[in-house]
Amino acid sequence: MLVLALITLVLHGALTGLFYSFSMSVMPGLNAIDPAQAEAAMRSINRKIQNGWLYLIFLGSPLAALAAGFLADGMAATWFFAAAGVNFLGSFVVTMAINVPMNNAIDAGKLSYQDYSPRWTTFNTLRTVASAAGLVLVGLGLTEL
């Protein structure tokens, strides 16, 4: 159980860091260059980020927290289930409902970078906050083991 809880913590930390790095460095960096170059760079990023490492942390975080919740008891289980729920809603649902469709729109040339960046970054920051909250909840679960 402890190993699964620690894996859950690492997955949540990695996901939080990924989202955080986009909001605090990648997007501001792209915003500082010509919009056409930023748009081309974002298209490339959106294509390259879809790989096994992303899927491991993106899908693995809520699933590992859910599994930890089922294996734990008492308050630990509650914290792990809460982490799974926060991560699922704040990361997975927001990504699939907002960020991915925006990525597809910019990739298809249906959305300008100037319209894309502020909205995408706002929702990415929401994903960051949700992932960080999930990370804290996993940490709380670990303290109850």
Side-chain angles (χ1 to χ4, degrees):
M1 175 61 218
L2 180 60
V3 171
L4 175 59
L6 290 172
I7 289 169
T8 303
L9 184 74
V10 169
L11 290 170
H12 277 75
L15 188 60
T16 301
L18 173 69
F19 291 149
Y20 176 76
S21 65
F22 267 87
S23 284
M24 76 87 53
S25 63
V26 173
M27 297 308 286
L30 293 177
N31 292 343
I33 63 174
D34 177 76
Q37 291 176 322
E39 190 172 313
M42 197 64 197
R43 283 186 184 126
S44 179
I45 290 168
N46 287 336
R47 289 183 192 123
K48 294 296 181 183
I49 200 167
Q50 295 181 40
N51 62 63
W53 293 111
L54 170 69
Y55 298 130
L56 174 67
I57 64 170
F58 182 66
L59 299 173
S61 294
L63 292 175
L66 188 63
F70 281 120
L71 293 176
D73 22 340
M75 276 308 296
T78 301
W79 292 124
F80 288 122
F81 285 136
V86 167
N87 187 291
F88 179 75
L89 292 174
S91 173
F92 185 81
V93 170
V94 170
T95 297
M96 300 313 291
I98 298 168
N99 292 88
V100 167
M102 290 183 71
N103 291 346
N104 293 340
I106 200 165
D107 192 49
K110 296 179 180 178
L111 184 63
S112 72
Y113 185 79
Q114 293 91 328
D115 292 332
Y116 170 90
S117 178
R119 184 168 184 246
W120 191 95
T121 303
T122 296
F123 283 99
N124 186 69
T125 302
L126 173 64
R127 299 188 300 179
T128 304
V129 170
S131 295
L135 178 62
V136 169
L137 292 167
V138 170
L140 291 170
L142 271 163
T143 67
E144 297 290 333
L145 291 180

